[in-house]
Amino acid sequence: MYGIIGKMKATSGKREALAAILLEGLKDMPGCLSYIVAQDPTDLDSLWITEVWDTQDSHRASLALPSVQHAIALGRPLIAGFGERFETTPLGGQGLGK
Amino acid sequence: MYGIIGKMKATSGKREALAAILLEGLKDMPGCLSYIVAQDPTDLDSLWITEVWDTQDSHRASLALPSVQHAIALGRPLIAGFGERFETTPLGGQGLGK
């Protein structure tokens, strides 16, 4: 499996709108086993996004999905930057949609 | 919801054994919506653990579960230390077991 843990910084006051775009646009992506959007309670503009995919190829392919392209287009103006980013190799656990 | 993203460092060569203990011991915890154990591909001894709970109280209560106590007892000798740790407020997504 392939995983990503990443911090995304919204433009000021736009975190909620950005989260809504991600949650709405990034559903039902083939090979996506987990995709969680969370607020950083210590930083009003930041989101933590944790993802698990069956393969890295599935993740790469998702970027071409119309729904994802649409979410990226909508979300990009609300993104001020990115913070920590860790790639992982998930082994298992609970909530992997398998 | 309450979330944690944390890095755990195993003693040398014990990452796999530690991951197995976590995966075996930390199942069916009341209020746990997601619990994923992943390898850090850049550090042979490190694991990333991402968790989502319905409440922080559920997470706190889980630490008293016999299965969790057992896993902690088994795992503790194999833990060399902890790395980054971020608490989050999950908003939603896929793979939340709800």
Side-chain angles (χ1 to χ4, degrees), chain B residues 1-41:
Chain B
M1 291 187 272
Y2 173 71
I4 304 171
I5 297 168
K7 189 171 180 178
M8 184 184 288
K9 201 164 177 93
T11 52
S12 181
K14 296 295 184 188
R15 176 168 71 173
E16 211 168 321
L18 180 55
I21 290 168
L22 295 173
L23 288 169
E24 182 48 38
L26 307 179
K27 286 187 217 167
D28 310 322
M29 301 181 287
C32 181
L33 305 174
S34 176
Y35 188 96
I36 296 169
V37 178
Q39 294 172 338
D40 181 329

Side-chain angles (χ1 to χ4, degrees), chain A residues 32 35 37 39 89 91-92 94, chain B residues 32 35 37 39 89 91-94:
Chain A
C32 181
Y35 187 98
V37 178
Q39 294 173 337
T89 308
L91 298 171
Q94 187 183 332
Chain B
C32 181
Y35 188 96
V37 178
Q39 294 172 338
T89 307
L91 297 171
Q94 187 182 333

Side-chain angles (χ1 to χ4, degrees), chain B residues 45-79:
Chain B
D45 294 325
S46 287
L47 293 169
W48 282 100
I49 297 161
T50 54
E51 307 177 37
V52 177
W53 297 80
D54 56 358
T55 65
Q56 188 166 5
D57 286 345
S58 290
H59 169 253
R60 208 172 284 131
S62 74
L63 302 176
L65 292 169
S67 56
V68 174
Q69 289 283 319
H70 181 61
I72 290 172
L74 280 180
R76 185 175 283 133
L78 309 186
I79 298 173

Side-chain angles (χ1 to χ4, degrees), chain A residues 38-86:
Chain A
Q39 294 173 337
D40 181 329
T42 68
D43 174 353
L44 286 179
D45 294 325
S46 287
L47 294 169
W48 281 100
I49 297 161
T50 53
E51 308 176 37
V52 176
W53 297 81
D54 56 359
T55 64
Q56 188 165 8
D57 286 345
S58 290
H59 170 253
R60 209 173 283 130
S62 74
L63 302 176
L65 292 169
S67 56
V68 173
Q69 289 283 319
H70 180 62
I72 290 171
L74 280 181
R76 187 176 281 131
L78 309 186
I79 298 173
F82 297 89
E84 296 86 336
R85 186 178 191 276
F86 309 104

